Amino acid sequence: MKNSKKTTRKRTGARSQKAAPLSINPAVRPSKMARRDPFHAREAERYENPLPSREYILATLKEQGVPVTDVELHALLGIRREEVKQFNRRLAAMEREGQIMRNRREAICVVEKLDLVAGRVQGHPDGFGFLVRDDKGSDLFLGPDEMRKVLHGDRVMARISGMDRRGRPEGKIAEILERAKTRHVGRLQHRHGVNFVVAEDKRISQEFMVPPGETLGARPGQVVSVDLIEQPQRHSQPVARVVEVLGDYGDPGMEIQIALRKHSLPHVFPLDVEKLAAKYAPTVSARDIKGRLDLRDLPLVTIDGETARDFDDAVYCTPHGRGGFRLIVAIADVSHYVKPGDALDSEAQLRGNSVYFPRQVIPMLPEHLSNGLCSINPHVDRLCMACDMTISAQGKITGYAFHQAVMRSHARLTYTIVAAMLEDKRAGTPEQQKLLPQLKHLHTLFGKLVKARNRRGAIDFETSETEIIFNDQRKIERIVPVKRNDAHRVIEECMLAANVCASDFLAEHGQPMLYRVHEGPTPEKLAALREFLGGFGFDLAGGDNPHAKNYAALLAKVKDRPDVQLLQTVMLRSLKQAVYSPKNAGHFGLAYESYTHFTSPIRRYPDLLVHRAIKAVLAGKRYEPGDWVALGEQCSMTERRADEATRDVTNWLKCYYMQDKVGESFEGSISGVTGFGIFVALDGIYAEGLVHVSDLGRDYFHFDAAKHQMVGERTHRRFRLGDRVRVKVARANLDSARIDFVLDEI
């Protein structure tokens, strides 16, 4: 997504005499609203010389009652000749988003009046699909015939044509608004004299035909990238040409190369971006420091994982007042180097965030900045944004100030070292031991912040993460759980405090921002959760609008039960996914009324925007990067994209690891229940696989979504989320990155 900017058109006040409105067809009546756009003020805030708003355009079209040509619409809205190009871009955007469409005569129609719905196609490996509607209505089932016209991710207009055999609303595609992508990754195959590519994205069921001479020398079985020459049609397959040969499927690191292309992750910095980053000297200059608060004498330290290479944050803590503390959180000042609208900024916005794969990182910023100038490396000067807080003995933030500063990290510490030093004062090197008093202050403050967190009622779900350990030959040696210690939690609480202050500071000064929004359960999910909990004799307090503290109180009640994992999982799944939005809806999980991200601008674009906003307020100005809503959607999308890509890679690596364990038996817990079977997470190995519904026993099993279980029709045998089972590894399919189990009952 390109950065939104104000248009370059000059403010002219009255209409120019030389640029008269285009002539209007007398058959079309001028709009009664033509003289006043009710959303003019909003558009004027965004653009120097505002165009008619989308709402105004739609209202004008509806008032005509008939399809309208471009020339007629220009005249109705008083669009001048020099504005036509810019205005047509707005129409094109409205067309892409399914608000308007053109008929066979190219006249503009209001989609709402045509009984069509817009949405995005979601494919299924079995050849059918669904239309996920923009208006949040029920998804439309798209049969195989309809799916032949499109690919997963395409935006289309569809007409509701009836109900399918299972009672689902069914759709017929009327118009393709936008093709999701033209480049795909897959494996080249050769059959009956014909070359074709099978997409790695299994939601694409069509095969891409590759004409002779368009294989770029790739051999059957190799992984390739292809560009579509022809999009799919109802009676013809998509046609593609090979544009890149990635190599053999089993090559080291191929899983990452596939994920990068499958999820369209930008992974090569354009030359102009690298050049702009390289222009900055490798050290901080005296000119950079001028006018900044000097924190270089304070023993600020970084505390991160052993494998971390970019360091966003440093902390310092000392006693203050009666049992309280002064906490300084210093964050790398990325905004000093990445300027609004420059090549670095555009690329960072496109990427949205860094992506962390096992063994490889795809950074948001070039290495010269991410691991150099913008990284708080030890014993060197670094520019930073500092949040200086005072916190009471009760863990309440009583005051804060933001500063543009310069700092010098006094040590690069790890979670493991800090945890050891807090447990044993003799741990660590002599240099590290000099910092022990400050670390103890941090730990004491952490205890007070945790108590405040508990009083606030924040939810603390116990989740497990894994780390894949590789040997010298880059083969998986083992998969281990990531254990969080108090040092992890100390830094987490410090970052939460700084983020809350950033949100409060910007809101107090009326500066727009991207909030980190985490909404509570929908009414439907809340009802399903209460029905499920009722089966265990529990209820969730809070009525129709439960608070995070109601979830926290229930978690405290069930923490010692043997089925705690089941109850916690169902509670967690009732909540919405966190997103970025300029509209503050609070953070349900953390029990904050207002929350934003400030602490990781090296690896998250929203944090960079917040830094710029804080600087603007400090300078008595206002920061407007463009369309805040679009920016929030972009950042939320790139976050989901990164999660999906890393999940794909991790699943493939675990599948690869399980190949030599086919036939072995393991204990595990049911981690998921679906209509087609149960997923089982293995103890000690942390790999997950599927027991298909047909392998659950000599019975017909039916899925009970409300109770998260499978129940046998004749035997009434039950397989429920969280139940313990013993399984045998049946197969590990690298093509689908799927591990299949069968029950191993003694």
Side-chain angles (χ1 to χ4, degrees):
M1 186 186 74
K2 294 183 179 178
N3 192 29
S4 301
K5 298 180 183 177
K6 288 193 173 185
T7 58
T8 54
R9 293 171 288 149
K10 295 181 180 178
R11 187 184 297 276
T12 56
R15 293 193 182 277
S16 167
Q17 298 278 332
K18 298 178 182 178
L22 300 172
S23 60
I24 186 169
N25 186 329
V28 179
R29 295 173 286 109
S31 169
K32 295 175 183 176
M33 300 173 61
R35 286 170 293 281
R36 182 63 183 164
D37 181 350
F39 296 94
H40 176 82
R42 184 194 68 197
E43 296 297 310
E45 285 184 7
R46 298 178 181 176
Y47 304 99
E48 189 176 349
N49 194 10
L51 292 168
S53 67
R54 292 189 182 203
E55 295 90 342
Y56 184 32
I57 294 170
L58 288 172
T60 302
L61 288 168
K62 287 177 185 177
E63 191 176 74
Q64 302 312 303
V66 294
V68 174
T69 67
D70 285 82
V71 172
E72 290 168 345
L73 184 59
H74 294 163
L76 284 166
L77 298 174
I79 302 299
R80 292 171 292 172
R81 284 186 173 86
E82 69 268 21
E83 296 176 320
V84 166
K85 188 175 181 180
Q86 191 75 13
F87 179 73
N88 286 348
R89 285 183 191 151
R90 173 157 288 187
L91 290 183
M94 293 175 69
E95 194 171 352
R96 282 195 304 274
E97 293 178 24
Q99 293 179 301
I100 60 175
M101 67 175 290
R102 296 177 183 275
N103 63 18
R104 301 288 181 186
R105 298 182 180 181
E106 288 297 305
I108 302 165
C109 311
V110 179
V111 166
E112 189 182 309
K113 307 278 276 185
L114 299 174
D115 294 328
L116 298 177
V117 294
R120 196 167 291 279
V121 173
Q122 188 174 79
H124 189 277
D126 291 342
F128 59 85
F130 297 91
L131 181 68
V132 181
R133 295 167 55 163
D134 292 348
D135 61 9
K136 310 299 182 186
S138 298
D139 295 349
L140 302 186
F141 176 77
L142 300 175
D145 284 348
E146 294 303 304
M147 286 298 295
R148 289 192 189 100
K149 308 173 188 174
V150 291
L151 296 175
H152 169 77
D154 288 351
R155 281 185 51 75
V156 304
M157 303 289 304
R159 180 176 289 104
I160 299 174
S161 59
M163 308 294 280
D164 72 354
R165 287 176 295 179
R166 294 174 59 181
R168 298 174 295 191
E170 191 167 11
K172 296 288 184 185
I173 295 171
E175 190 81 17
I176 296 169
L177 299 173
E178 183 182 22
R179 295 291 186 177
K181 53 195 287 192
T182 57
R183 180 160 293 185
H184 299 267
V185 63
R187 294 175 74 178
L188 183 69
Q189 306 288 352
H190 186 83
R191 189 169 62 221
H192 303 307
V194 177
N195 295 311
F196 60 93
V197 168
V198 178
E200 277 296 319
D201 191 339
K202 302 309 173 189
R203 295 168 297 187
I204 297 175
S205 57
Q206 296 100 317
E207 295 171 344
F208 304 146
M209 306 300 296
V210 180
E214 297 287 1
T215 64
L216 208 65
R219 301 188 308 274
Q222 286 191 306
V223 181
V224 297
S225 286
V226 297
D227 277 350
L228 293 187
I229 302 171
E230 296 177 17
Q231 291 285 351
Q233 305 293 329
R234 188 185 188 104
H235 300 294
S236 62
Q237 289 176 273
V239 180
R241 68 165 63 93
V242 176
V243 294
E244 183 183 20
V245 181
L246 299 179
D248 294 323
Y249 201 68
D251 289 348
M254 182 57 68
E255 70 281 357
I256 294 177
Q257 296 305 312
I258 289 171
L260 291 173
R261 290 157 179 82
K262 174 181 172 181
H263 296 281
S264 302
L265 282 164
H267 57 281
V268 177
F269 286 106
L271 188 59
D272 61 334
V273 175
E274 292 279 16
K275 283 183 175 179
L276 183 55
K279 283 184 179 179
Y280 290 107
T283 57
V284 173
S285 68
R287 185 177 64 180
D288 293 329
I289 295 171
K290 189 176 180 182
R292 289 177 174 261
L293 179 67
D294 195 337
L295 301 177
R296 286 176 288 187
D297 289 337
L298 280 183
L300 285 147
V301 297
T302 62
I303 306 175
D304 293 274
E306 275 77 7
T307 59
R309 295 179 62 197
D310 52 352
F311 309 112
D312 291 280
D313 55 85
V315 293
Y316 166 77
C317 184
T318 188
H320 177 83
R322 297 180 178 179
F325 288 90
R326 178 192 183 193
L327 172 66
I328 296 179
V329 174
I331 306 298
D333 188 1
V334 177
S335 62
H336 181 82
Y337 303 101
V338 182
K339 307 295 186 184
D342 70 10
L344 283 165
D345 182 55
S346 298
E347 185 68 14
Q349 187 182 131
L350 180 69
R351 295 181 177 223
N353 43 256
S354 299
V355 186
Y356 295 86
F357 294 113
R359 297 180 299 181
Q360 186 175 344
V361 177
I362 308 300
M364 185 177 80
L365 300 171
E367 190 170 348
H368 182 66
L369 295 180
S370 61
N371 293 343
L373 265 178
C374 293
S375 183
I376 303 177
N377 300 320
H379 312 301
V380 292
D381 290 352
R382 285 291 181 259
L383 305 183
C384 66
M385 291 293 294
C387 180
D388 190 347
M389 295 165 271
T390 54
I391 301 174
S392 73
Q394 290 72 43
K396 182 180 179 182
I397 300 171
T398 55
Y400 63 79
F402 285 92
H403 305 283
Q404 296 185 62
V406 58
M407 63 159 291
R408 180 179 285 248
S409 171
H410 286 228
R412 182 271 200 261
L413 303 177
T414 67
Y415 297 124
T416 305
I417 289 170
V418 172
M421 291 174 68
L422 291 172
E423 251 184 55
D424 181 359
K425 63 181 181 182
R426 295 168 297 179
T429 66
E431 286 299 312
Q432 291 168 346
Q433 286 179 358
K434 292 178 183 177
L435 298 164
L436 186 57
Q438 190 209 153
L439 297 179
K440 286 186 174 180
H441 295 326
L442 274 168
H443 192 251
T444 304
L445 173 61
F446 156 68
K448 297 180 184 296
L449 290 172
V450 167
K451 287 181 181 178
R453 178 192 185 116
N454 293 338
R455 286 194 300 271
R456 197 172 69 243
I459 307 172
D460 191 10
F461 287 115
E462 286 292 332
T463 56
S464 57
E465 296 180 13
T466 58
E467 180 182 0
I468 298 175
I469 307 298
F470 298 89
N471 60 23
D472 293 339
Q473 288 75 46
R474 300 184 72 190
K475 299 295 183 184
I476 301 174
E477 188 173 285
R478 64 189 187 280
I479 303 170
V480 298
V482 176
K483 294 182 179 178
R484 281 164 47 84
N485 55 41
D486 271 3
H488 289 88
R489 298 182 181 96
V490 164
I491 294 303
E492 180 181 290
E493 289 297 330
C494 291
M495 298 306 112
L496 290 176
N499 286 336
V500 168
C501 290
S503 178
D504 184 73
F505 179 72
L506 294 176
E508 184 182 340
H509 289 85
Q511 166 64 50
M513 72 185 108
L514 286 185
Y515 293 92
R516 182 61 169 176
V517 172
H518 183 217
E519 295 187 76
T522 62
E524 295 78 18
K525 286 194 172 184
L526 184 59
L529 175 61
R530 286 214 164 97
E531 181 183 348
F532 175 79
L533 293 172
F536 292 82
F538 290 109
D539 188 26
L540 180 69
D544 293 337
N545 294 293
H547 189 271
K549 63 184 177 185
N550 302 125
Y551 273 73
L554 184 54
L555 281 172
K557 282 184 184 178
V558 305
K559 67 178 181 179
D560 296 323
R561 288 174 58 100
D563 54 7
V564 59
Q565 196 60 46
L566 163 65
L567 296 168
Q568 177 182 269
T569 301
V570 176
M571 291 170 69
L572 178 60
R573 291 178 181 176
S574 72
L575 301 177
K576 291 183 180 179
Q577 187 177 33
V579 296
Y580 293 103
S581 172
K583 182 181 178 182
N584 181 26
H587 197 293
F588 187 87
L590 294 172
Y592 286 132
E593 292 183 5
S594 177
Y595 187 70
T596 193
H597 275 168
F598 161 76
T599 54
S600 295
I602 293 176
R603 59 186 180 89
R604 289 191 309 225
Y605 193 74
D607 302 51
L608 176 57
L609 295 176
V610 166
H611 277 231
R612 289 174 179 164
I614 290 172
K615 282 187 176 181
V617 171
L618 291 175
K621 298 178 181 177
R622 183 180 175 90
Y623 176 53
E624 285 293 352
D627 188 339
W628 283 103
V629 172
L631 283 169
E633 291 172 350
Q634 165 73 2
C635 293
S636 299
M637 180 278 291
T638 60
E639 181 182 51
R640 290 192 302 271
R641 180 177 67 183
D643 288 343
E644 290 169 3
T646 52
R647 193 181 305 118
D648 275 2
V649 169
T650 301
N651 288 344
W652 192 92
L653 288 169
K654 288 183 177 181
C655 188
Y656 184 88
Y657 178 65
M658 294 298 292
Q659 278 189 307
D660 62 359
K661 294 171 177 58
V662 172
E664 294 184 31
S665 296
F666 299 91
E667 299 282 343
S669 299
I670 297 177
S671 56
V673 184
T674 71
F676 51 84
I678 59 173
F679 287 94
V680 179
L682 303 183
D683 298 344
I685 291 185
Y686 307 100
E688 189 178 68
L690 174 74
V691 180
H692 194 266
V693 62
S694 60
D695 289 322
L696 290 176
R698 293 176 61 83
D699 200 350
Y700 290 105
F701 284 83
H702 301 286
F703 177 45
D704 184 340
K707 295 182 179 179
H708 300 267
Q709 64 184 16
M710 279 281 200
V711 181
E713 185 178 289
R714 178 177 55 84
T715 62
H716 303 294
R717 185 176 181 185
R718 182 177 65 179
F719 292 94
R720 189 175 64 185
L721 187 69
D723 283 353
R724 301 286 297 165
V725 291
R726 183 177 179 82
V727 295
K728 183 183 290 185
V729 182
R731 66 187 63 83
N733 188 336
L734 288 178
D735 287 350
S736 60
R738 198 176 88 175
I739 304 166
D740 290 325
F741 298 146
V742 293
L743 292 178
D744 184 26
E745 299 177 315
I746 299 173

